[in-house]
């Protein structure tokens, strides 16, 4: 909230910090404050920021790869002892299935393509909640109601007006009218003239959560943890072997 009031985008925590903690064994708040100070310093001086930005991408990629891999390893270390219980194994399995599934097949939730070419059209027509369902006013296109015709005697044929005049027929032009289209008026996102702001915002929020692997996986895990009953502990056999 404070970041938005100051004119910057909303801030969030990053899970790779857990990987850094596991890698360095340092979870001190002082280290976090020091990193924040360095980031502010880099942002104030363009030359320093340019030097940091000039770091080759393979080096940046190697560091990021270590961070996110450590996040995975740390997560497995936490889940390891818990996976001995069938209930926990089922919850983790289904959560990973939805999270990885959305990551590999995002069009199941939202059929976005490249935003600059046909992406808005796909988002409007296809997906789990197509955007045309929250549109209040659709654009209109000219649609042919009845085709043109050329009457020659008792027969009617379809030819151009010039050809109809040459053969001595009576030409009747096509009848058109403007009708609403729910499948976009062109291929450049002209799909709706007025959206329902409330429902469109709700749709955007839900789609954003569902198409984010972290979001859908956590939701599935929480729901399953609430509805699945706990297993009864196995009774130990008190009989001693003879």
């Amino acid at each position: 909230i404070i970041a938005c009031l100051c004119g910057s985008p909303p801030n969030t925590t990053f899970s790779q910090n857990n990987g850094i903690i596991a890698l360095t064994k340092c979870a001190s708040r002082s280290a976090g404050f020091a990193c924040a100070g360095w980031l502010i310093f880099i942002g104030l001086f363009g030359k320093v920021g340019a030097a940091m930005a000039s770091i080759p991408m393979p080096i940046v990629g190697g560091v990021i790869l270590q961070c996110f891999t450590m996040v995975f390893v740390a997560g497995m270390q936490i889940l390891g002892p818990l996976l001995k219980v069938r209930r926990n194994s089922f919850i983790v399995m289904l959560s990973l299935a939805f999270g990885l599934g959305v990551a590999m097949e995002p069009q199941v939730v939202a059929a976005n393509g490249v935003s600059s070419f046909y992406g808005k059209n796909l988002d409007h027509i296809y997906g789990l909640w197509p955007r045309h369902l929250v549109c209040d006013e659709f654009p209109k296109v000219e649609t042919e109601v009845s085709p043109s015709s050329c009457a020659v005697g008792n027969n009617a044929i379809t030819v151009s007006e010039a050809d109809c005049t040459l053969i001595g027929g009576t030409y009747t032009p096509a009848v058109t009218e403007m009708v609403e289209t729910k499948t976009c008026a062109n291929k450049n996102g002209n799909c709706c003239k007025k959206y329902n702001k409330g429902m469109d915002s709700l749709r955007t929020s839900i789609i954003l959560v569902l198409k984010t692997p972290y979001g859908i996986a956590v939701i599935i895990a929480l729901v399953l943890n609430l509805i699945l009953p706990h297993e009864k502990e196995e009774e130990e056999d008190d009989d001693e072997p003879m």
Side-chain angles (χ1 to χ4, degrees), residues 124 135-144 176-186 190-194:
H124 182 82
C135 180
D136 289 338
E137 184 180 353
F138 293 93
K140 293 184 177 181
V141 294
E142 187 176 4
T143 304
E144 188 177 89
T176 61
E177 64 179 14
M178 301 298 291
V179 297
E180 287 187 344
T181 175
K182 296 184 178 181
T183 57
C184 299
N186 58 27
N190 184 18
C191 303
C192 180
K193 295 180 68 176
K194 181 182 179 182

Side-chain angles (χ1 to χ4, degrees), residues 207-226:
I207 292 296
L208 184 62
V209 172
L210 293 181
K211 70 185 294 187
T212 304
Y214 286 115
I216 186 63
V218 170
I219 291 174
I220 295 297
L222 289 175
V223 172
L224 291 178
N225 188 53
L226 291 174

Side-chain angles (χ1 to χ4, degrees), residues 231-242:
E231 296 182 357
K232 294 182 180 180
E233 295 183 0
E234 296 182 0
E235 297 182 358
E236 295 182 358
D237 189 3
D238 295 333
D239 297 335
E240 296 182 0
M242 299 298 294

Side-chain angles (χ1 to χ4, degrees), residues 9-242:
N11 295 316
T12 181
T13 57
F14 291 91
S15 57
Q16 61 264 34
N17 294 333
N18 296 324
I20 294 295
I21 293 173
L23 187 64
T24 62
K25 302 297 182 181
C26 177
S28 172
R29 293 184 179 180
S30 299
F33 293 147
C35 290
W38 278 108
L39 291 175
I40 295 174
F41 177 79
I42 293 172
L44 292 176
F45 298 94
K47 296 295 183 180
V48 179
M52 299 295 294
S54 65
I55 298 175
M57 288 306 296
I59 297 177
V60 177
V63 174
I64 293 176
L65 182 63
Q66 282 186 327
C67 293
F68 283 99
T69 305
M70 284 303 300
V71 172
F72 177 78
V73 173
M76 289 298 101
Q77 289 175 345
I78 296 173
L79 290 175
L82 302 177
L83 296 180
K84 296 179 181 179
V85 182
R86 289 188 304 166
R87 177 180 180 274
N88 296 339
S89 298
F90 180 79
I91 293 175
V92 173
M93 175 270 297
L94 208 56
S95 301
L96 287 177
F98 273 89
L100 295 175
V102 169
M104 294 186 292
E105 300 291 339
Q107 71 275 8
V108 174
V109 178
N112 296 74
V114 180
S115 297
S116 60
F117 182 76
Y118 213 65
K120 293 182 179 179
N121 296 53
L122 294 175
D123 186 49
H124 182 82
I125 302 172
Y126 303 105
L128 187 65
W129 190 351
R131 202 177 183 191
H132 70 83
L133 296 179
V134 297
C135 180
D136 289 338
E137 184 180 353
F138 293 93
K140 293 184 177 181
V141 294
E142 187 176 4
T143 304
E144 188 177 89
V145 177
S146 61
S148 61
S149 62
C150 179
V152 182
N154 295 326
N155 298 322
I157 58 176
T158 302
V159 294
S160 65
E161 184 177 3
D163 293 337
C164 185
T165 303
L166 289 176
I167 60 178
T170 302
Y171 181 78
T172 303
V175 178
T176 61
E177 64 179 14
M178 301 298 291
V179 297
E180 287 187 344
T181 175
K182 296 184 178 181
T183 57
C184 299
N186 58 27
K187 295 182 179 180
N188 197 29
N190 184 18
C191 303
C192 180
K193 295 180 68 176
K194 181 182 179 182
Y195 286 104
N196 186 314
K197 292 185 178 180
M199 292 301 298
D200 190 36
S201 299
L202 176 63
R203 172 193 173 275
T204 302
S205 301
I206 293 176
I207 292 296
L208 184 62
V209 172
L210 293 181
K211 70 185 294 187
T212 304
Y214 286 115
I216 186 63
V218 170
I219 291 174
I220 295 297
L222 289 175
V223 172
L224 291 178
N225 188 53
L226 291 174
I227 65 177
L228 290 181
H230 290 271
E231 296 182 357
K232 294 182 180 180
E233 295 183 0
E234 296 182 0
E235 297 182 358
E236 295 182 358
D237 189 3
D238 295 333
D239 297 335
E240 296 182 0
M242 299 298 294

